[in-house]
Amino acid sequence: MQYQQAYSHASRQGGLGRVIQIAVVQHRKGGGVITMRQVLVVDYEYCSGCHTCEITCQQEHGMDPDKYGIKLTQIGPDEIKPRKWQFEFLPIPTDRCDICANRQAKGKLPSCVQHCQAGCLYLRDADDLGDLLSKRKVSLFTLGR
């Protein structure tokens, strides 16, 4: 299977500092391109930066410690203004991510979603996102399978 990141978009709106980041990944098979409808949702307001998503993905797929299917990034600590800091963690799927196609074929959740200690990773159908878009800090990643 071959995956390729085709599009990414980030926008910041409103006084709440709402951030939505979307990365569309397309699956190439037999010369055709299929855009899948599953979305990996990261509610990063609650991500604690524990790296469990990275580790379980590496173990599930037998990856070396320097290879990632999902990679945790860190913003800050950054003092935005006096006594107001930004310190966030954001797990981002890489081109190696296949949203655990083998696990899903067995009716299981992707490894990162199953083992997220903060419970901030979700797998959703792209058509079922209304409630998530009202959250203050959420990232949506549509991934091919």
Side-chain angles (χ1 to χ4, degrees), residues 15-19 44-45 84 88 134-138:
L16 294 177
R18 179 175 159 208
V19 176
Y44 73 96
E45 184 171 12
K84 181 173 178 11
E88 323 246 22
S134 65
K135 291 187 170 277
R136 185 170 182 267
K137 296 181 179 182
V138 65

Side-chain angles (χ1 to χ4, degrees), residues 40-42 47-61 63 67-73 89-94 97 100 110-122:
L40 180 65
V41 180
V42 180
C47 180
S48 64
C50 70
H51 296 270
T52 300
C53 55
E54 290 178 344
I55 295 166
T56 60
C57 179
Q58 289 169 331
Q59 289 177 346
E60 179 73 29
H61 299 287
M63 292 181 200
K67 305 288 188 235
Y68 301 91
I70 190 164
K71 176 74 173 134
L72 188 70
T73 59
F89 298 98
L90 180 60
I92 299 175
T94 71
C97 178
C100 292
S111 227
C112 61
V113 175
Q114 176 74 41
H115 297 285
C116 177
Q117 294 183 31
C120 65
L121 293 175
Y122 313 93

Side-chain angles (χ1 to χ4, degrees), residues 93-128:
T94 71
D95 288 348
R96 287 185 180 90
C97 178
D98 67 354
I99 52 175
C100 292
N102 290 336
R103 286 178 59 90
Q104 287 199 63
K106 297 174 186 173
K108 297 179 180 180
L109 290 170
S111 227
C112 61
V113 175
Q114 176 74 41
H115 297 285
C116 177
Q117 294 183 31
C120 65
L121 293 175
Y122 313 93
L123 187 67
R124 293 280 182 94
D125 183 72
D127 297 328
D128 183 30

Side-chain angles (χ1 to χ4, degrees), residues 79-93:
E79 189 171 17
I80 305 300
K81 57 185 179 183
R83 303 185 64 125
K84 181 173 178 11
W85 291 81
Q86 182 175 15
F87 191 35
E88 323 246 22
F89 298 98
L90 180 60
I92 299 175

